[in-house]
Amino acid sequence: MALIPSQILRVAILLSYFSIICNYKAIDMPAHQTYGGSWKFLTFIDLVIQAVFFGVCVLTDLSSLLTKGTASVEQERQLRKLIGLRDWMMAVLAFPVGVFVVTMFWTLYLYDRDLVYPRLLDNFIPQWLNHGMHTTVLPFIIIEMRTTHHQYPSRLCGLLAVCSFAVGYVLWMCWVHNVTGVWVYPLLEHIGPMARALFFISLTGLISLYYILGEILNSYIWDSSRSMIDANKDKAD
């Protein structure tokens, strides 16, 4: 896809995330007034991750346009740093966390919505906003992967980073429970300590699998694209 259309897509996606976050924060919901506020929910953390990631993408596009045709070594160095940050965020945070939120939410929602999204929330969160938080994340991140090749870190470093994020969020949930006596998600109230520990370990394993899936998908998309380009060149020759 050409540079200008991909720039427009990224700006549009970034603005949509700003709109979703602002609308969500504007809701006068009891959970927002308790300890941790919106930050105790992985959905909100993911929205912030996606917004920051696409903000970095837009900044990278602007920097690329500004440095195009210039011979400044410093500008090229700064651009490479931005590209490295963009690729790292895509690999370690935006893709695995985004896919995890979408798949886990809708799996639990379809099984028993009260385990993750009690019906009471329908009085506060409109359907369009629910889909903005839990559905559109997946197509947005797939669009980004399809339009831009991202350089993944080594698998060991990537998995360590993803697992660190997962463990950090689990510890944060446990801390919120320690302070308030209430688990962030109703599901956790219905299982015992051992089952809860196994559940946390399983989720850490799942988000690690999503990291590997993103790495494989990124390679497949861009290896296929290169093969098609090479094949077209051979035909032209």
Side-chain angles (χ1 to χ4, degrees):
M1 187 172 286
L3 178 61
I4 297 300
S6 65
Q7 282 183 319
I8 294 172
L9 278 171
R10 286 172 180 143
V11 171
I13 292 172
L14 177 61
L15 291 176
S16 72
Y17 276 123
F18 280 150
S19 175
I20 291 168
I21 291 172
C22 289
N23 277 278
Y24 178 72
K25 291 295 290 181
I27 295 173
D28 185 19
M29 202 162 58
H32 290 177
Q33 313 306 322
T34 57
Y35 184 82
S38 305
W39 291 98
K40 58 181 173 284
F41 300 112
L42 186 59
T43 291
F44 181 76
I45 294 173
D46 178 51
L47 288 176
V48 174
I49 287 172
Q50 302 299 331
V52 172
F53 168 67
F54 279 99
V56 171
C57 288
V58 170
L59 184 59
T60 302
D61 286 340
L62 290 173
S63 299
S64 179
L65 287 174
L66 291 173
T67 58
K68 199 172 184 179
T70 65
S72 171
V73 175
E74 178 60 24
Q75 286 181 329
E76 290 291 338
R77 188 172 68 85
Q78 294 300 326
L79 178 58
R80 285 196 296 273
K81 283 185 177 181
L82 271 177
I83 293 173
L85 175 61
R86 179 200 68 188
D87 292 350
W88 185 88
M89 286 194 69
M90 174 67 170
V92 171
L93 294 174
F95 185 89
V97 178
V99 175
F100 179 86
V101 166
V102 172
T103 55
M104 282 302 301
F105 175 82
W106 287 112
T107 298
L108 292 173
Y109 186 96
L110 293 173
Y111 175 72
D112 182 356
R113 63 168 295 177
D114 289 325
L115 295 176
V116 66
Y117 193 80
R119 297 176 194 279
L120 177 65
L121 293 179
D122 290 340
N123 298 324
F124 300 95
I125 303 176
Q127 280 297 314
W128 73 265
L129 186 55
N130 180 27
H131 285 293
M133 296 188 297
H134 298 115
T135 305
T136 58
V137 173
L138 186 55
F140 284 169
I141 205 67
I142 294 297
I143 287 171
E144 169 60 24
M145 182 173 280
R146 181 64 186 86
T147 56
T148 305
H149 177 253
H150 296 274
Q151 186 67 44
Y152 269 61
S154 69
R155 182 167 293 184
L156 178 60
C157 291
L159 286 174
L160 284 174
V162 170
C163 289
S164 297
F165 173 85
V167 171
Y169 181 68
V170 168
L171 292 176
W172 169 233
M173 281 195 297
C174 292
W175 176 254
V176 171
H177 176 262
N178 180 64
V179 172
T180 65
V182 178
W183 286 104
V184 174
Y185 301 103
L187 167 67
L188 299 174
E189 302 282 358
H190 300 290
I191 56 179
M194 184 61 68
R196 199 176 295 129
L198 291 173
F199 181 69
F200 289 150
I201 292 171
S202 298
L203 294 186
T204 302
L206 181 60
I207 200 170
S208 299
L209 286 177
Y210 285 146
Y211 170 84
I212 297 172
L213 174 64
E215 181 184 44
I216 293 171
L217 187 59
N218 181 71
S219 297
Y220 173 77
I221 289 172
W222 291 98
D223 287 347
S224 297
S225 297
R226 289 194 191 98
S227 297
M228 289 177 63
I229 292 171
D230 292 341
N232 289 334
K233 283 182 179 179
D234 291 339
K235 288 180 181 178
D237 293 340

